[in-house]
Each structure stands twice: as C-alpha cells, then as structure tokens.
Amino acid sequence: MIVPDGDNFRIQGRITIDNAHTVLTEGLKLFVRDGLVVDLSQLEEVDSSAVSLVLEWLREAQRNQRKLSFTHLPDNLKSLATLYSVLDLIQPAEAG
C-alpha cells in the first residue's frame, strides 16, 4: 500500500509477485512530481518483483525527467538488489 507522507510517500506491507503489478500501477499514478522521496521502511515482505518494480519506477521517472529516490531500504530488499547488481541504482538517499 502506498501512503502519502507529507510531500512524499511511504510503502507499507509487502511487494511480491502477487501484488507487484497493482503497486506498480498505483505508484505510476501518484509519483508525478520531481524530487519525490519514497520511504520503504515499512515494507514487511519483498521478493524479486519488488526490485523490478523499483527499477521500473526509476525508469519512468527518468523518462519524464523527474528525480525519484528511496529511503530506508529494508535489508531483504538490499540483499536482492545486491544479488542482481542493482543496489547502486536504488541506494537510499541518506547515508547507510
């Protein structure tokens, strides 16, 4: 679930193959301004589809000449992104 958080958004719950398309579509509708930050600290479960989803959001932002960044990547998402050698593309905006 994507929840407004001030001027930004927070993702809650899970992103798995079962709901990835729905979350992807919802995000594409909401993430329309430049400089948006998406907080992933409340993600409880992810699988490899979460990595694909985040990369697609970044591609769409780039196509529209917008900056999109992520904070508080959970360890399981970091591990998957490292496995696929894409962590540097989705590294959180803050240090660490």
Side-chain angles (χ1 to χ4, degrees), residues 23-24 27-28 31 33-38 40 49-71 73 77 81 85-93:
V23 177
L24 171 68
L28 291 175
F31 303 161
R33 73 169 176 80
D34 191 32
L36 188 70
V37 178
V38 179
L40 302 176
S49 62
V51 175
S52 296
L53 178 145
V54 167
L55 292 173
E56 180 57 26
W57 281 342
L58 288 169
R59 280 189 293 272
E60 185 65 18
Q62 185 177 30
R63 276 193 287 274
N64 291 293
Q65 300 178 347
R66 293 188 197 112
K67 182 174 180 186
L68 174 66
S69 59
F70 301 92
T71 61
L73 271 70
L77 184 57
S85 301
V86 296
L87 182 60
D88 58 325
L89 299 175
I90 60 173
Q91 191 61 40

Side-chain angles (χ1 to χ4, degrees), residues 2-17:
I2 302 174
V3 179
D5 187 9
D7 289 335
N8 296 300
F9 291 92
R10 186 172 8 99
I11 311 296
Q12 296 177 325
R14 61 188 180 88
I15 300 174
T16 64
I17 192 70

